PDB file of all heavy atoms in Angstrom:
ATOM      1  N   GLY V 288     -41.738 -22.376  -1.777  1.00  0.00           N
ATOM      2  CA  GLY V 288     -41.639 -21.746  -3.095  1.00  0.00           C
ATOM      3  C   GLY V 288     -41.253 -22.696  -4.205  1.00  0.00           C
ATOM      4  O   GLY V 288     -41.287 -22.343  -5.368  1.00  0.00           O
ATOM      5  N   VAL V 289     -40.891 -23.924  -3.836  1.00  0.00           N
ATOM      6  CA  VAL V 289     -40.385 -24.832  -4.854  1.00  0.00           C
ATOM      7  C   VAL V 289     -41.501 -25.434  -5.722  1.00  0.00           C
ATOM      8  O   VAL V 289     -41.274 -25.829  -6.846  1.00  0.00           O
ATOM      9  CB  VAL V 289     -39.558 -25.960  -4.190  1.00  0.00           C
ATOM     10  CG1 VAL V 289     -40.463 -26.927  -3.475  1.00  0.00           C
ATOM     11  CG2 VAL V 289     -38.695 -26.670  -5.197  1.00  0.00           C
ATOM     12  N   THR V 290     -42.683 -25.493  -5.187  1.00  0.00           N
ATOM     13  CA  THR V 290     -43.746 -26.177  -5.936  1.00  0.00           C
ATOM     14  C   THR V 290     -44.651 -25.181  -6.639  1.00  0.00           C
ATOM     15  O   THR V 290     -44.788 -24.042  -6.205  1.00  0.00           O
ATOM     16  CB  THR V 290     -44.616 -27.028  -4.987  1.00  0.00           C
ATOM     17  OG1 THR V 290     -45.240 -26.151  -4.049  1.00  0.00           O
ATOM     18  CG2 THR V 290     -43.768 -28.054  -4.249  1.00  0.00           C
ATOM     19  N   LYS V 291     -45.259 -25.650  -7.699  1.00  0.00           N
ATOM     20  CA  LYS V 291     -46.209 -24.791  -8.420  1.00  0.00           C
ATOM     21  C   LYS V 291     -47.361 -24.397  -7.518  1.00  0.00           C
ATOM     22  O   LYS V 291     -47.910 -23.323  -7.612  1.00  0.00           O
ATOM     23  CB  LYS V 291     -46.748 -25.545  -9.640  1.00  0.00           C
ATOM     24  CG  LYS V 291     -45.882 -25.383 -10.860  1.00  0.00           C
ATOM     25  CD  LYS V 291     -46.612 -25.874 -12.101  1.00  0.00           C
ATOM     26  CE  LYS V 291     -45.612 -26.051 -13.248  1.00  0.00           C
ATOM     27  NZ  LYS V 291     -45.971 -27.194 -14.107  1.00  0.00           N
ATOM     28  N   MET V 292     -47.716 -25.287  -6.637  1.00  0.00           N
ATOM     29  CA  MET V 292     -48.830 -24.996  -5.728  1.00  0.00           C
ATOM     30  C   MET V 292     -48.348 -24.280  -4.451  1.00  0.00           C
ATOM     31  O   MET V 292     -49.144 -23.939  -3.593  1.00  0.00           O
ATOM     32  CB  MET V 292     -49.574 -26.286  -5.365  1.00  0.00           C
ATOM     33  CG  MET V 292     -48.757 -27.286  -4.562  1.00  0.00           C
ATOM     34  SD  MET V 292     -49.688 -28.799  -4.125  1.00  0.00           S
ATOM     35  CE  MET V 292     -50.632 -28.271  -2.707  1.00  0.00           C
ATOM     36  N   GLY V 293     -47.023 -24.035  -4.391  1.00  0.00           N
ATOM     37  CA  GLY V 293     -46.479 -23.415  -3.182  1.00  0.00           C
ATOM     38  C   GLY V 293     -46.811 -21.940  -3.096  1.00  0.00           C
ATOM     39  O   GLY V 293     -46.855 -21.243  -4.099  1.00  0.00           O
ATOM     40  N   MET V 294     -47.042 -21.473  -1.913  1.00  0.00           N
ATOM     41  CA  MET V 294     -47.319 -20.043  -1.719  1.00  0.00           C
ATOM     42  C   MET V 294     -47.112 -19.662  -0.264  1.00  0.00           C
ATOM     43  O   MET V 294     -46.923 -20.524   0.595  1.00  0.00           O
ATOM     44  CB  MET V 294     -48.738 -19.716  -2.169  1.00  0.00           C
ATOM     45  CG  MET V 294     -49.818 -20.616  -1.614  1.00  0.00           C
ATOM     46  SD  MET V 294     -51.462 -20.122  -2.199  1.00  0.00           S
ATOM     47  CE  MET V 294     -51.273 -20.261  -3.967  1.00  0.00           C
ATOM     48  N   MET V 295     -47.113 -18.346  -0.019  1.00  0.00           N
ATOM     49  CA  MET V 295     -47.012 -17.872   1.358  1.00  0.00           C
ATOM     50  C   MET V 295     -48.319 -18.151   2.094  1.00  0.00           C
ATOM     51  O   MET V 295     -49.379 -18.280   1.485  1.00  0.00           O
ATOM     52  CB  MET V 295     -46.722 -16.364   1.374  1.00  0.00           C
ATOM     53  CG  MET V 295     -45.246 -16.050   1.126  1.00  0.00           C
ATOM     54  SD  MET V 295     -44.978 -14.292   0.716  1.00  0.00           S
ATOM     55  CE  MET V 295     -45.813 -13.476   2.077  1.00  0.00           C
ATOM     56  N   ALA V 296     -48.217 -18.238   3.407  1.00  0.00           N
ATOM     57  CA  ALA V 296     -49.385 -18.528   4.231  1.00  0.00           C
ATOM     58  C   ALA V 296     -50.487 -17.506   3.968  1.00  0.00           C
ATOM     59  O   ALA V 296     -50.220 -16.330   3.773  1.00  0.00           O
ATOM     60  CB  ALA V 296     -48.985 -18.511   5.709  1.00  0.00           C
ATOM     61  N   GLY V 297     -51.712 -17.990   3.939  1.00  0.00           N
ATOM     62  CA  GLY V 297     -52.865 -17.131   3.706  1.00  0.00           C
ATOM     63  C   GLY V 297     -54.108 -18.001   3.697  1.00  0.00           C
ATOM     64  O   GLY V 297     -53.984 -19.238   3.740  1.00  0.00           O
ATOM     65  N   PRO V 298     -55.295 -17.418   3.666  1.00  0.00           N
ATOM     66  CA  PRO V 298     -56.532 -18.212   3.715  1.00  0.00           C
ATOM     67  C   PRO V 298     -56.539 -19.292   2.627  1.00  0.00           C
ATOM     68  O   PRO V 298     -56.211 -19.010   1.473  1.00  0.00           O
ATOM     69  CB  PRO V 298     -57.633 -17.182   3.479  1.00  0.00           C
ATOM     70  CG  PRO V 298     -57.035 -15.881   3.935  1.00  0.00           C
ATOM     71  CD  PRO V 298     -55.576 -15.985   3.609  1.00  0.00           C
ATOM     72  N   GLY V 299     -56.920 -20.506   3.003  1.00  0.00           N
ATOM     73  CA  GLY V 299     -57.004 -21.599   2.036  1.00  0.00           C
ATOM     74  C   GLY V 299     -55.682 -22.283   1.747  1.00  0.00           C
ATOM     75  O   GLY V 299     -55.638 -23.252   0.988  1.00  0.00           O
ATOM     76  N   VAL V 300     -54.615 -21.807   2.336  1.00  0.00           N
ATOM     77  CA  VAL V 300     -53.318 -22.427   2.087  1.00  0.00           C
ATOM     78  C   VAL V 300     -53.125 -23.591   3.070  1.00  0.00           C
ATOM     79  O   VAL V 300     -53.343 -23.440   4.274  1.00  0.00           O
ATOM     80  CB  VAL V 300     -52.177 -21.397   2.224  1.00  0.00           C
ATOM     81  CG1 VAL V 300     -50.817 -22.086   2.166  1.00  0.00           C
ATOM     82  CG2 VAL V 300     -52.291 -20.348   1.129  1.00  0.00           C
ATOM     83  N   VAL V 301     -52.735 -24.728   2.525  1.00  0.00           N
ATOM     84  CA  VAL V 301     -52.538 -25.915   3.365  1.00  0.00           C
ATOM     85  C   VAL V 301     -51.260 -25.739   4.170  1.00  0.00           C
ATOM     86  O   VAL V 301     -50.185 -25.560   3.610  1.00  0.00           O
ATOM     87  CB  VAL V 301     -52.458 -27.184   2.482  1.00  0.00           C
ATOM     88  CG1 VAL V 301     -52.096 -28.420   3.336  1.00  0.00           C
ATOM     89  CG2 VAL V 301     -53.772 -27.406   1.745  1.00  0.00           C
ATOM     90  N   ASP V 302     -51.382 -25.739   5.501  1.00  0.00           N
ATOM     91  CA  ASP V 302     -50.197 -25.532   6.338  1.00  0.00           C
ATOM     92  C   ASP V 302     -49.840 -26.767   7.158  1.00  0.00           C
ATOM     93  O   ASP V 302     -48.751 -26.828   7.721  1.00  0.00           O
ATOM     94  CB  ASP V 302     -50.382 -24.297   7.229  1.00  0.00           C
ATOM     95  CG  ASP V 302     -51.566 -24.418   8.167  1.00  0.00           C
ATOM     96  OD1 ASP V 302     -52.412 -25.328   7.949  1.00  0.00           O
ATOM     97  OD2 ASP V 302     -51.665 -23.621   9.114  1.00  0.00           O
ATOM     98  N   LYS V 303     -50.761 -27.720   7.252  1.00  0.00           N
ATOM     99  CA  LYS V 303     -50.489 -28.963   7.979  1.00  0.00           C
ATOM    100  C   LYS V 303     -51.188 -30.102   7.242  1.00  0.00           C
ATOM    101  O   LYS V 303     -52.253 -29.890   6.657  1.00  0.00           O
ATOM    102  CB  LYS V 303     -51.090 -28.914   9.398  1.00  0.00           C
ATOM    103  CG  LYS V 303     -50.467 -27.913  10.335  1.00  0.00           C
ATOM    104  CD  LYS V 303     -51.197 -27.955  11.680  1.00  0.00           C
ATOM    105  CE  LYS V 303     -50.925 -26.694  12.469  1.00  0.00           C
ATOM    106  NZ  LYS V 303     -51.921 -26.493  13.539  1.00  0.00           N
ATOM    107  N   MET V 304     -50.597 -31.265   7.309  1.00  0.00           N
ATOM    108  CA  MET V 304     -51.299 -32.396   6.713  1.00  0.00           C
ATOM    109  C   MET V 304     -50.792 -33.718   7.298  1.00  0.00           C
ATOM    110  O   MET V 304     -49.702 -33.799   7.863  1.00  0.00           O
ATOM    111  CB  MET V 304     -51.168 -32.408   5.195  1.00  0.00           C
ATOM    112  CG  MET V 304     -49.772 -32.676   4.696  1.00  0.00           C
ATOM    113  SD  MET V 304     -49.822 -33.043   2.923  1.00  0.00           S
ATOM    114  CE  MET V 304     -50.773 -34.547   2.945  1.00  0.00           C
ATOM    115  N   ALA V 305     -51.625 -34.724   7.132  1.00  0.00           N
ATOM    116  CA  ALA V 305     -51.237 -36.073   7.562  1.00  0.00           C
ATOM    117  C   ALA V 305     -51.778 -37.066   6.531  1.00  0.00           C
ATOM    118  O   ALA V 305     -52.725 -36.756   5.803  1.00  0.00           O
ATOM    119  CB  ALA V 305     -51.821 -36.366   8.941  1.00  0.00           C
ATOM    120  N   ILE V 306     -51.133 -38.227   6.451  1.00  0.00           N
ATOM    121  CA  ILE V 306     -51.625 -39.282   5.563  1.00  0.00           C
ATOM    122  C   ILE V 306     -51.871 -40.529   6.422  1.00  0.00           C
ATOM    123  O   ILE V 306     -51.002 -40.935   7.214  1.00  0.00           O
ATOM    124  CB  ILE V 306     -50.609 -39.600   4.450  1.00  0.00           C
ATOM    125  CG1 ILE V 306     -50.279 -38.341   3.646  1.00  0.00           C
ATOM    126  CG2 ILE V 306     -51.134 -40.700   3.528  1.00  0.00           C
ATOM    127  CD1 ILE V 306     -49.219 -38.528   2.572  1.00  0.00           C
ATOM    128  N   ASP V 307     -53.033 -41.054   6.281  1.00  0.00           N
ATOM    129  CA  ASP V 307     -53.381 -42.250   7.068  1.00  0.00           C
ATOM    130  C   ASP V 307     -52.490 -43.403   6.611  1.00  0.00           C
ATOM    131  O   ASP V 307     -52.453 -43.741   5.424  1.00  0.00           O
ATOM    132  CB  ASP V 307     -54.867 -42.582   6.834  1.00  0.00           C
ATOM    133  CG  ASP V 307     -55.348 -43.677   7.768  1.00  0.00           C
ATOM    134  OD1 ASP V 307     -54.721 -44.772   7.752  1.00  0.00           O
ATOM    135  OD2 ASP V 307     -56.316 -43.428   8.511  1.00  0.00           O
ATOM    136  N   PRO V 308     -51.771 -44.044   7.550  1.00  0.00           N
ATOM    137  CA  PRO V 308     -50.828 -45.086   7.139  1.00  0.00           C
ATOM    138  C   PRO V 308     -51.513 -46.335   6.579  1.00  0.00           C
ATOM    139  O   PRO V 308     -50.898 -47.086   5.837  1.00  0.00           O
ATOM    140  CB  PRO V 308     -50.068 -45.399   8.428  1.00  0.00           C
ATOM    141  CG  PRO V 308     -50.870 -44.844   9.544  1.00  0.00           C
ATOM    142  CD  PRO V 308     -51.735 -43.775   8.991  1.00  0.00           C
ATOM    143  N   THR V 309     -52.759 -46.503   6.934  1.00  0.00           N
ATOM    144  CA  THR V 309     -53.417 -47.730   6.458  1.00  0.00           C
ATOM    145  C   THR V 309     -54.084 -47.528   5.099  1.00  0.00           C
ATOM    146  O   THR V 309     -53.816 -48.249   4.141  1.00  0.00           O
ATOM    147  CB  THR V 309     -54.456 -48.214   7.486  1.00  0.00           C
ATOM    148  OG1 THR V 309     -55.340 -47.118   7.779  1.00  0.00           O
ATOM    149  CG2 THR V 309     -53.758 -48.662   8.774  1.00  0.00           C
ATOM    150  N   ASN V 310     -54.895 -46.468   4.976  1.00  0.00           N
ATOM    151  CA  ASN V 310     -55.623 -46.301   3.711  1.00  0.00           C
ATOM    152  C   ASN V 310     -55.080 -45.160   2.845  1.00  0.00           C
ATOM    153  O   ASN V 310     -55.637 -44.821   1.812  1.00  0.00           O
ATOM    154  CB  ASN V 310     -57.113 -46.097   3.980  1.00  0.00           C
ATOM    155  CG  ASN V 310     -57.370 -44.801   4.739  1.00  0.00           C
ATOM    156  OD1 ASN V 310     -56.437 -44.001   4.947  1.00  0.00           O
ATOM    157  ND2 ASN V 310     -58.610 -44.581   5.130  1.00  0.00           N
ATOM    158  N   HIS V 311     -54.006 -44.529   3.346  1.00  0.00           N
ATOM    159  CA  HIS V 311     -53.380 -43.446   2.579  1.00  0.00           C
ATOM    160  C   HIS V 311     -54.322 -42.290   2.266  1.00  0.00           C
ATOM    161  O   HIS V 311     -54.132 -41.562   1.301  1.00  0.00           O
ATOM    162  CB  HIS V 311     -52.711 -43.973   1.292  1.00  0.00           C
ATOM    163  CG  HIS V 311     -51.572 -44.902   1.583  1.00  0.00           C
ATOM    164  ND1 HIS V 311     -50.883 -45.555   0.596  1.00  0.00           N
ATOM    165  CD2 HIS V 311     -51.018 -45.305   2.744  1.00  0.00           C
ATOM    166  CE1 HIS V 311     -49.949 -46.333   1.156  1.00  0.00           C
ATOM    167  NE2 HIS V 311     -50.022 -46.183   2.472  1.00  0.00           N
ATOM    168  N   ALA V 312     -55.331 -42.133   3.129  1.00  0.00           N
ATOM    169  CA  ALA V 312     -56.209 -40.957   2.972  1.00  0.00           C
ATOM    170  C   ALA V 312     -55.456 -39.715   3.445  1.00  0.00           C
ATOM    171  O   ALA V 312     -54.723 -39.772   4.437  1.00  0.00           O
ATOM    172  CB  ALA V 312     -57.477 -41.141   3.792  1.00  0.00           C
ATOM    173  N   PHE V 313     -55.616 -38.599   2.703  1.00  0.00           N
ATOM    174  CA  PHE V 313     -54.944 -37.348   3.063  1.00  0.00           C
ATOM    175  C   PHE V 313     -55.835 -36.530   3.985  1.00  0.00           C
ATOM    176  O   PHE V 313     -57.000 -36.294   3.651  1.00  0.00           O
ATOM    177  CB  PHE V 313     -54.648 -36.517   1.794  1.00  0.00           C
ATOM    178  CG  PHE V 313     -53.434 -36.993   1.017  1.00  0.00           C
ATOM    179  CD1 PHE V 313     -53.090 -38.342   0.984  1.00  0.00           C
ATOM    180  CD2 PHE V 313     -52.660 -36.090   0.310  1.00  0.00           C
ATOM    181  CE1 PHE V 313     -51.995 -38.770   0.257  1.00  0.00           C
ATOM    182  CE2 PHE V 313     -51.555 -36.506  -0.416  1.00  0.00           C
ATOM    183  CZ  PHE V 313     -51.213 -37.846  -0.445  1.00  0.00           C
ATOM    184  N   ALA V 314     -55.304 -36.119   5.123  1.00  0.00           N
ATOM    185  CA  ALA V 314     -56.048 -35.199   6.007  1.00  0.00           C
ATOM    186  C   ALA V 314     -55.340 -33.849   5.954  1.00  0.00           C
ATOM    187  O   ALA V 314     -54.205 -33.730   6.397  1.00  0.00           O
ATOM    188  CB  ALA V 314     -56.072 -35.735   7.430  1.00  0.00           C
TER     189      ALA V 314
END
Side-chain angles (χ1 to χ4, degrees):
Chain V
V289 73
T290 62
K291 273 193 195 145
M292 65 179 279
M294 50 179 59
M295 280 165 52
V300 172
V301 174
D302 61 346
K303 293 178 199 162
M304 67 167 296
I306 303 177
D307 188 304
T309 53
N310 65 7
H311 296 176
F313 281 32

